[in-house]
Amino acid sequence: MDISALQKARYAYVPKLPATLAGSVDEISVEFGSPTEAVSDKEEIREIFKNTYGKPTAIFKKGKNDKIRRELKVGVILSGGQAPGGHNVIAGLFDGLKKANPASTLFGFQGGPSGLIDNKTVTLTKERIDEYRNTGGFDIIGSGRTKIETPQQFESSLKTAKALGLDAVVVIGGDDSNTNAALLAEYFVANGSNTQVIGCPKTIDGDLKNEHIETSFGFDTACKTYSELIGNLCRDTNSAKKYWHFVKLMGRAASHIALECAFQTQPNVCLISEEIEAKHYSLDNIVDQVCASIVKRAGNSENFGVVLIPEGLVEFIPEIKKLINELNDTIADEEDKFTSLHNFTDQMQWLSGRLTDVSYALLKMFPQEIAQQFLMDRDPHGNVQVSRIETEKLLVGMVEKKLNIMKERGQYSGKFASLTHFFGYEGRCAFPSNFDSDYCYSLGYSAFVLIASGLTGYLSSVKNLTAPAGKWIAGGVPLTMMMNLEQRHGSKKPVIKKALVLLDGKPFKTFEAKRAEWAEKTSYLFPGAIQYFGPTEVCDAPTVTLKLEHE
Ligand code: FBP
């Protein structure tokens, strides 16, 4: 097989482990904290998770562990969108299992959770694992977005677990996938099965975090990859001095990625969806904010700049959120009728009278190309697919209009030429940074210790991440501890609470203190490509967000 020089070099990289996990497996014991409670809606969540609610947190310590050398059969699932480091979670899990007992087996469920439902597995051998160490992607077994939710799907999952004689299932996923892991853990216990379920916190979006999960894996590498590209755009535009670059960045709901990239590159404008929602900014207010920077910079004869836009922005602008909700409900009510309308004019005609006047007027105001994106196929949950709405183009169009008006009024005399970009898929399968390689390997290894220690319904946790890896603290957090009830499909469902950007948190406050200067002056930073070999401060540094959160 042809492999790149970097891939070959990365095979040789030995991920760093926390000191408690690095020695002999016989010396890893578990210390438990006090019983835990759900984030909110405690009584209802206790009722749903009768067998698995309220377990204590677990931390690994040096000490004796009689159970650890048991022969185990484990199945692993990669769930949801790709995130750099998934292969290392599997490698850490595999190495832990084999180090403790070479007879243990690791199965990979193919294509995501549907692999468990349909019993589609592959046995993961050392040769196969070695081909994927320290590489990006989820291609070792593939991923998928199937949710295990119907009684039949739970039954089939149990059937697979029994057929394979599984001691445990490891779910590598985001908030939704780990909510699923918690429900599966509960279902297995409630149905007399000994198959344990352990989760691992994955998502480039960075919105699966709390006091025990300092960051989800993949966020570090994805942000560094986008920041390299944004830094390159900053330098290009500072050289040519003729374009404003509008860059939309992935992160379905939360703006963590945009904020981290702003720290790494210091663009002229970075929009933060959570602030826009909290301050009830309208689309016009946002356009004004961008134009203010363009006008100021034009005054300094700098007719160029960079604007960062979080992917989920449209859903946080109150008037667009209202429009999206109305569209979702109206289309869901008469889905067959709506899908039978094949052209945009018919669709708009059908919607007039069904949407409120304000929402209809807003939709009509958008350029047709953008309005059509709001009417595209819904996702399996009936929601508009925000990543397919070209917010960056919508903003450019509105900014251009506003600047023309300002020009006519003599308020602006600069030149405006723009280019749009969307960075998302480019970062999800990058070679994991050293941080993600180490963190993921440690998460996988911790998952093995949680399994060997007989625990179920836990999320693998590795903390103290701004310290050198040897000082990281590994253990597990009960999944029910992260839950609350949220409205889904018309009823209250237990879900892991999504962590959005906190407006009173250190990262946002730091950004807020700097953005006025960035909006006017050229203050770009050029982080460059992720470095895998070289000085620690260049190769092993965690994200700025993580550092600020630790201060
Ligand atoms: P996860 O939440 O599953 O980690 O996926 C995150 C993400 O990359 C989002 O940033 C993006 O909106 C979405 O997946 C894109 O989904 P798809 O891969 O289905 O196009």
Side-chain angles (χ1 to χ4, degrees), residues 79-83 145 173-175 177 202-205 207 250-253 257 311 385-387 424-425 428 498:
S79 182
Q82 284 70 252
R145 289 200 182 274
D175 50 346
S177 310
K202 169 235 76 166
T203 179
I204 59 158
D205 296 359
D207 55 8
M250 242 188 198
R252 188 194 306 270
I257 293 181
E311 180 182 71
Q385 300 184 50
V386 280
S387 66
Y425 298 98
R428 300 200 311 180
K498 223 183 234 316

Side-chain angles (χ1 to χ4, degrees), residues 181-215:
L183 290 165
L184 201 60
E186 175 65 25
Y187 181 84
F188 283 164
V189 180
N191 286 277
S193 161
N194 290 327
T195 305
Q196 305 154 232
V197 183
I198 299 295
C200 283
K202 169 235 76 166
T203 179
I204 59 158
D205 296 359
D207 55 8
L208 173 52
K209 62 175 170 183
N210 51 52
E211 61 177 305
H212 296 285
I213 305 297
E214 294 178 1
T215 187

Side-chain angles (χ1 to χ4, degrees), residues 2 110 160 188 285 298 310:
D2 280 346
Q110 293 175 304
T160 302
F188 283 164
N285 297 147

